Amino acid sequence: MDLIIDNHRLRFSTDPKKLSFNKPTIIFLHDSLGCIKLWRDFPEKIGIVTGCNVISYDRQGYGKSTRFSNQKRDHNYLKDEAKALGRIIDTLALQQVILFGHSDGGSIALLTAALFPDNILGVITEGAHVFVEKETLSGIKEAVKTYKETNLKEKLSKYHGDKTDEVFRMWTETWLSEEYQSWNIEKYLSNVQCPSLIIQGENDEYGTLKQVHSIVNKTTGASQALIIPNIGHTPHKENVEVVITNVTQFINDLV
């Protein structure tokens, strides 16, 4: 299902007209190389166990959505994505919204809850970033090497088509740029007034537990951390049972 938002065509996983408006809607926000299809069946599993609507979308530049408008990102691109999500929520007339964001999507979820506190019922993040760490940069540099030396581009092309190089370059060049090293969204966290579940793998290759502690300590809503041992940056794939159990409990407490 495609919708025109801000003059851009965005691909949605579900026709919004088919959502039940007497139930909360969980919006899934993909990571920096992700898209609808890379969530696989995880949103549907969450929808079944919680009874909520579930919907995801390809942000501009990703998957089946319109390609990027510019060839370089502003360092506030995640805040811009949060503002775009606010317009999406308004366009779809969604009332009870829960955000589930992975990596970049987690940062977008936090910013959206901060900018539009009246619209968001709860936030769930996995591997979210609120500032830049050397571990993040090391992980990205390793990804650049992998992209050059392996078939990673071929794998990603199945999802992003001829936009694949742009998707990868926008992520890596932005985060590794000198301008981006001072990026920090901690000042927005005090305006996150809804409950939040902050998930991170203990061995996350893109960030340390300092990210989790900052989010939990600086948000003003009831915030709880879930640190999962022996996994990395993608908890919903690396330990799906633990994630589903805890997400279900969190959502049940919300609604």
Side-chain angles (χ1 to χ4, degrees):
M1 172 70 186
D2 290 347
L3 292 176
I4 304 299
I5 306 289
D6 294 340
N7 297 316
H8 303 300
R9 179 182 52 80
L10 302 182
R11 173 65 55 87
F12 286 78
S13 60
T14 302
D15 183 348
K17 295 178 182 178
K18 296 181 180 179
L19 299 177
S20 174
F21 286 94
N22 63 350
K23 298 194 296 187
T25 298
I26 307 173
I27 302 178
F28 289 83
L29 304 165
H30 63 74
D31 65 299
S32 55
L33 298 178
C35 63
I36 292 169
K37 288 189 175 180
L38 281 167
W39 282 109
R40 309 201 193 289
D41 63 348
F42 180 72
E44 287 70 28
K45 288 179 177 178
I46 293 295
I48 290 170
V49 296
T50 63
C52 294
N53 298 311
V54 294
I55 192 168
S56 58
Y57 67 101
D58 294 339
R59 296 195 297 276
Q60 185 187 356
Y62 299 85
K64 300 298 182 181
S65 291
T66 305
R67 67 190 329 126
F68 295 109
S69 300
N70 302 306
Q71 292 302 303
K72 185 178 180 180
R73 271 180 169 158
D74 182 90
H75 72 283
N76 286 318
Y77 80 97
L78 292 171
K79 185 178 178 182
D80 292 338
E81 290 289 359
K83 291 178 178 178
L85 177 54
R87 291 189 287 274
I88 289 170
I89 291 169
D90 285 344
T91 299
L92 301 183
L94 300 177
Q95 301 298 316
Q96 302 180 73
V97 176
I98 300 168
L99 302 177
F100 188 120
H102 174 223
S103 196
D104 264 19
S107 303
I108 293 167
L110 291 166
L111 284 166
T112 305
L115 296 173
F116 309 100
D118 294 337
N119 292 0
I120 310 302
L121 189 63
V123 168
I124 304 163
T125 69
E126 288 185 322
H129 295 91
V130 292
F131 52 85
V132 178
E133 293 185 282
K134 67 179 187 302
E135 288 82 2
T136 312
L137 302 179
S138 295
I140 294 173
K141 290 174 182 177
E142 185 63 29
V144 171
K145 181 180 179 182
T146 301
Y147 194 76
K148 291 178 179 178
E149 298 178 356
T150 71
N151 66 341
L152 176 58
K153 177 179 177 178
E154 180 183 350
K155 291 180 179 178
L156 291 173
S157 294
K158 297 176 183 177
Y159 305 100
H160 303 295
D162 64 358
K163 302 191 294 292
T164 302
D165 280 336
E166 291 176 33
V167 167
F168 192 82
R169 181 174 56 78
M170 286 292 199
W171 172 47
T172 57
E173 290 186 1
T174 300
W175 277 79
L176 295 177
S177 69
E178 183 177 349
E179 178 186 31
Y180 206 73
Q181 304 316 298
S182 61
W183 174 83
N184 187 304
I185 59 170
E186 289 177 294
K187 66 182 180 181
Y188 295 99
L189 295 178
S190 62
N191 209 38
V192 178
Q193 302 166 15
C194 62
S196 57
L197 174 62
I198 311 304
I199 305 171
Q200 184 151 319
E202 186 178 38
N203 301 325
D204 191 322
E205 59 272 37
Y206 290 102
T208 73
L209 297 182
K210 292 178 182 178
Q211 304 282 346
V212 176
H213 299 325
S214 176
I215 298 168
V216 171
N217 291 332
K218 290 182 169 62
T219 49
T220 54
S223 185
Q224 54 186 292
L226 172 62
I227 311 302
I228 306 177
N230 304 316
I231 66 167
H233 191 58
T234 317
H236 69 275
K237 292 181 179 178
E238 298 175 64
N239 198 329
V240 64
E241 294 84 5
V242 167
V243 172
I244 288 178
T245 297
N246 283 271
V247 167
T248 302
Q249 183 62 59
F250 176 76
I251 292 175
N252 286 344
D253 290 343
L254 277 181
V255 300

